Amino acid sequence: MTDLTMFHAVKQDTKFPQLEEQVLAFWKQNNIYQRSLDLRKNGKPFVFFEGPPTANGLPHPGHCLTRAIKDLFPRYRTMRGYLCERKAGWDTHGLPVEVEVCKELGIHGKEEIESYGIEGFVQKCQQSVWRYMQEWERVTERLGFWIDLSQAYVTYHQSYIESVWWSLKTLFDKGLLYRGHKIVWWWAQGGTALSSGEVGQGYRQVADPSVYVRFPLEGEPNTSLVVWTTTPWTLPSNQFAAVNPELEYAYCFDETSSETIVIAKALVESLSEKTKRKLAIVKVVVGSELVGKFYVPPFDCYSKQLGHAEARLKSGGSQRPCWRVVAANFVTIDSGTGLVHLAPAFGEVDYEVLTEERLRFVEPSVPPLLCAVGPNGKFTADFPSHEGVWVKDADKTLQRFLKDAGKLWHQEQYLHDYPFCWRASEDPLIQYPRESWFIRTTKFRDSMLENNKTIGWLPEHIGPGRFGNFLESNVDWALSRERYWGTPLPIWVCDQTSQMEAIGCYEELIAKPGVQGTEVWANAKKANPELEDDLRVHKPYIDAVTYDSPYAPGARMRRVTEVIDCWYDSGAMPFAQWGYPHKNAESFNSQFPSDFISEAIDQTRGWFYSQLAISTMLFGASDEDTKNGKIAERAYPHPFKNCIVLGLMLAEWYESKDGKQRFLTEEEAKTACGTDYVVKTGKMSKQLRNYRSPQEIFDKYGADALRWYLFYNQAPWNSILYSERAIRDSISEFILRLWNSVSFFSIYAEIDGFAGPSEIASGLDQLTSEELSRAKSYRPIEQRSELDRWMMSELAATCRDVVERMDRYDSYGACQTLHAFVDAMSNWYIRRSRSRYWAADKQSADKLDAYWTLYESFVVVAKLIAPFTPFLAESLWKLLKGDLAGVRDSVHLCDFPDGGAIAPDAELNARMSLLREIASLGRSARMDSKLKVRQPLQRVEVSLADDSQIQWLRKHDDIVREELNVDEIHYASGASPFVEYQVQPNFRRLGPKVGPLLPKLKQQLGSVSGATLLEELTANGKITLVLDGKSIELDCEDIQVRMQAKAGWAAAQGKLCVVALNTELTDALIRRGIAKDAIRLVQDLRKKRDCNFTDRIEIWILDAPVAMREALEENQVFICTETLGVSIHFDNPPSDLELDDCELGDSKVRIGLRVTTASLA
RNA sequence: GCGCGCGUAGCUCAGUUGGUUAGAGCGCGUCGCUGAUAACGACGAGGUCCCCGGUUCGAAUCCAGGCGCGCGCACCA
């Protein structure tokens, strides 16, 4: 062995966050990420897509989970030899950005934006996008998420937008983009539609008027339909009344008002009660009989204009188009009257009814859409009495108006949930018809389903379940947004003929004949050279660009005003990140589709859908094409093959009982409230601020602690609690346990000057077995002790298992395996090997084996954990490689160990686990008899279920003897005085054979002595039983033997064996027990006195009774060997010797020690 | 209302094609061990496997119904 000191004892007070900062600096300085890619330049690609986060808010703990998983698999695959490029990306468009800017400018709504100026506003948006960028980059980096931030794709960049344009042009040219009406949730004050997600956020319980209105039937005097509504302001725009054709309706005589009303029969009683009116049923009809009747609308604003004018029907003849009873299946008797007022302008289902009605008429826009409300939410001139009044303010006067006109049958208050604007919480939303652009995704429904079937979803149920169901109910994608900051819809319209063209890129646009308007951008740029060139394809600059219409001489082509849904941006990412097809076709082709993506479950209808839909439309085949036998351009699945769908992250916090104070840690809660606090868990919320920022976690516990917590504690698709305590625990459960093992190794390697790897002169690279085996002191595994062989075998099994699991994206299972291995290494291998490391002969083969085995295990573990806890792995690697020449700088540049070099020895692993069980049972038996392990015992008896392992176990007596502190160990199978046997049927085997007889069989087996049955079985190889007159033969496979420790013995039973102790204590045993106790006291004192590990000492033990003193003298050599003592004195301590009072056995003694240079006698 | 998921120890979660003694970690309690010590080991207490039916020789597991929670969709006229 060389004299070089290769290893230095690891400091005891390791601060992991600090260590991680060092690792980060190391990675940066040495360009490790880039080098990890360069190394795999010729590797098979493993394609990863980054779902672009919006950098328009602070990253929260939930993002850490996503980013940790996104990091894990690319790191793993890279180490497995794949080339995994990781291009970052940012989602930069959309309403949230506009809202931020509005806040900053202190403005509200579209009118104010327009008066501020679209140009300045859009510029502000572009600048604002990067507001939180640094924070995002910092968290990304600190978490150890390796991704190329410098080459990030950005959705507002010109090249990105041009890719999106290309895709939209492609869809347009295929006739898949169209203009249509849609009833949307409309924020009138802001002048914009809200997405369903935004609407969902704003629901609030409010009391609205609930009115029951008479619709007098034409030709039936004094008879009215009674309809119910909670939005009186929609009544002026009423067009139909709907009934369920299947339901029964009753004509009732209302005694109170002496009139006949029509309502659902099932509701007569409850309405009578509610309104305190006497209702007598006159006749009953089914809904379909009411269909086709005409009524007088509640307000005459439109009936005055349209009167009784009739329109031509397709079926011949003509009919008045409005104020007619129609059939609709959605009508129920859950609330109201069973008759529904329809105002198609203000309800999606109402609008559908209009669309259906229109099919009956010759003219396509008959019946017309009646809408007395403007986009600003105020009544228009169509309803002169309320022109300019905000609809919600009109509710009261409208009710009075109805009452005065005798139309109001009943009124009350109604409590229900109603959506308000999520950012202007006083503004109620209204449903409102808007013209929108749609993509005909419904033509690809089946193709999307086909594509989906081939995707590897984790968990699996997402595919056919949530995602599949969502695809089943596909509706055309409402693409356009009447906003400012977004990808402009690239459609130009002829101002005379309304003919349209889609444009695929900027160059194509400016090459058009007679282009004008490009100077608007040029001038802006001249005025402010700082402007990013990407802005030229944005509003308002792009809107200014017009060209000659090919459709009419002298006409101009002008862009439509809309921008597009930013979900389309992100869904276009697979090709748009490269600017494809305008450039980088190669990159696109090699990076499509992706092997792996991961986001949280909320992306089901978001990014997962937008990607799949766009990809299927562009690179797949439509349903019709598929039916005609045309195959998709690219084989499914695309654009992603595997997707881990993460659960949502929940917050845990503490609240005072009155809910007024919130705390993030229990200590804070205790300090402030004593015991008057409660633990809460729930969604993370910015408003509640109920979570700790990731940065605080990094600073306190480190990124690895967080990462390990996220990976190890549950399958990633379960929702996970962001619990600070649990994150902290992951340090001691895994990180510290491993680190302590390394620390142990380093302490003794330093003391002994173990420097095995430095014996290898050259050719070191990744410290593989093959490389290490070239060291002189490295013995082949086969020549080492069983314990070493076991460790290496477990290691190989661990490698294989981890690889197998990670290859199928089972990170959770892989972590369980890693954890179990570290536990086995720390709690069995090292524990059982400790004495080997402090053996005196530094050159003994056994000692060197022990070092080598541990060293190699650490090397492999460092590689195994590298994708999971990259910082810890790197620190470990650094320690293991020391100054060895040629070894790779970083563990992340190594190959992932697949266990191929060493074959796991399943039998050995099973045997060792039996041995561990015996030791564990022995300790349990000791516990029961209150015999502490320090007290030596004479003998243990081990009874085994079968005798096949006895030979092997006998060879390892030393391990068990030492673990259990006994002198002898005796193995047996079969009859023994402290074990009884229970024979049970092997249910799995016999179930199918004997079926219903099984309970009786069990009973019969139980009633006979187990030992007798076993003897019979051993003698004949079978036993025969008679059950219900049937004779049944059982062989040894058909039964299972269970051993039970007999009462009265110091014994413990496990699945495979029973361990019994001989509890008799002889004087000699007691004396050795005293010596063991003394050893421990001396060791404690060594530590207390800060002795070095190698210090020799003189020991004084005073006041020991005679018998004890004899016991100590008798075991003097033993005590000295264990404690590095040179001598033990029982009197005459030096006058300055510090003495500690201790309890030894039943006596009080004083113990002192002194470091000496004398050597052992 | 519909769909998907979940419901197992005080907490966080495992639990294989159904197999008869349901596990782990944390926490709690007791004891032990101590040249890894801001560790470690053992043992214990703690379970209506959400409820109710059914299938089966046998159900935490399969089926039907219900309850609760989460997410999504629709509706809220």
Side-chain angles (χ1 to χ4, degrees), chain A residues 815-827:
Chain A
C815 283
Q816 306 302 310
T817 303
L818 286 170
H819 185 266
F821 178 78
V822 168
D823 182 68
M825 178 165 75
S826 159
N827 287 331

Side-chain angles (χ1 to χ4, degrees), chain A residues 918-1118:
Chain A
I918 291 169
S920 160
L921 290 171
R923 279 193 295 264
S924 161
R926 268 184 174 274
M927 177 68 112
D928 287 346
S929 347
K930 303 239 178 280
L931 287 165
K932 58 187 179 184
V933 179
R934 229 181 288 118
Q935 174 59 57
L937 292 176
Q938 184 62 44
R939 181 180 164 97
V940 295
E941 308 274 351
V942 180
S943 289
L944 295 151
D946 76 280
D947 58 6
S948 57
Q949 303 298 346
I950 289 185
Q951 285 296 100
W952 183 86
L953 287 167
R954 283 207 178 108
K955 280 195 242 160
H956 298 80
D957 276 3
D958 51 336
I959 292 179
V960 180
R961 284 208 312 264
E962 201 177 307
E963 272 298 301
L964 296 181
N965 194 17
V966 295
D967 292 345
E968 294 168 34
I969 179 160
H970 190 257
Y971 292 101
S973 68
S976 98
F978 49 85
V979 173
E980 56 190 13
Y981 294 90
Q982 286 172 352
V983 178
Q984 280 205 334
N986 179 344
F987 291 97
R988 200 183 277 262
R989 228 175 112 91
L990 290 177
K993 254 196 238 174
V994 305
L997 290 177
L998 208 46
K1000 279 191 181 160
L1001 180 65
K1002 179 185 176 187
Q1003 199 188 1
Q1004 196 163 8
L1005 284 174
S1007 65
V1008 191
S1009 142
T1012 318
L1013 280 173
L1014 278 184
E1015 270 168 39
E1016 191 186 336
L1017 190 59
T1018 323
N1020 306 332
K1022 62 181 185 192
I1023 36 183
T1024 309
L1025 296 173
V1026 180
L1027 277 176
D1028 287 356
K1030 270 166 96 183
S1031 128
I1032 293 171
E1033 268 188 15
L1034 302 176
D1035 60 22
C1036 36
E1037 294 280 297
D1038 288 329
I1039 58 159
Q1040 37 195 287
V1041 180
R1042 202 163 268 166
M1043 287 186 296
Q1044 192 96 32
K1046 272 190 198 163
W1049 288 83
Q1053 89 244 358
K1055 291 233 149 115
L1056 302 167
C1057 58
V1058 171
V1059 176
L1061 299 174
N1062 179 342
T1063 57
E1064 187 194 343
L1065 290 177
T1066 62
D1067 283 350
L1069 288 173
I1070 291 171
R1071 287 203 296 274
R1072 267 164 54 206
I1074 289 171
K1076 281 241 178 195
D1077 277 337
I1079 289 169
R1080 182 192 157 198
L1081 292 173
V1082 173
Q1083 301 287 35
D1084 274 355
L1085 203 56
R1086 282 187 66 114
K1087 197 161 100 196
K1088 213 162 150 188
R1089 297 280 194 276
D1090 282 332
C1091 290
N1092 288 321
F1093 291 125
T1094 48
D1095 285 343
R1096 298 276 159 183
I1097 53 168
E1098 282 188 89
I1099 303 162
W1100 279 266
I1101 301 176
L1102 307 176
D1103 309 338
V1106 179
M1108 181 175 288
R1109 180 169 164 167
E1110 280 172 13
L1112 295 172
E1113 281 174 334
E1114 184 182 311
N1115 291 288
Q1116 185 158 357
V1117 176
F1118 175 47

Side-chain angles (χ1 to χ4, degrees), chain A residues 30-41 74-75 78-79 82-84 86 146 890 892-894:
Chain A
N30 294 278
N31 213 11
I32 302 296
Y33 169 54
Q34 190 52 48
R35 283 167 60 194
S36 78
L37 293 177
D38 295 345
L39 209 59
R40 311 296 178 183
K41 217 166 13 200
R75 275 186 191 269
T78 300
M79 289 180 75
Y82 292 82
L83 173 62
C84 180
R86 284 150 264 181
W146 273 359
S890 164
H892 302 287
L893 300 175
C894 293

Side-chain angles (χ1 to χ4, degrees), chain A residues 91-111:
Chain A
D91 192 9
T92 56
H93 284 145
L95 193 60
V97 182
E98 294 193 17
V99 166
E100 279 277 317
V101 171
C102 284
K103 257 189 220 159
E104 187 193 328
L105 297 173
I107 59 177
H108 183 142
K110 278 173 87 171
E111 281 167 27

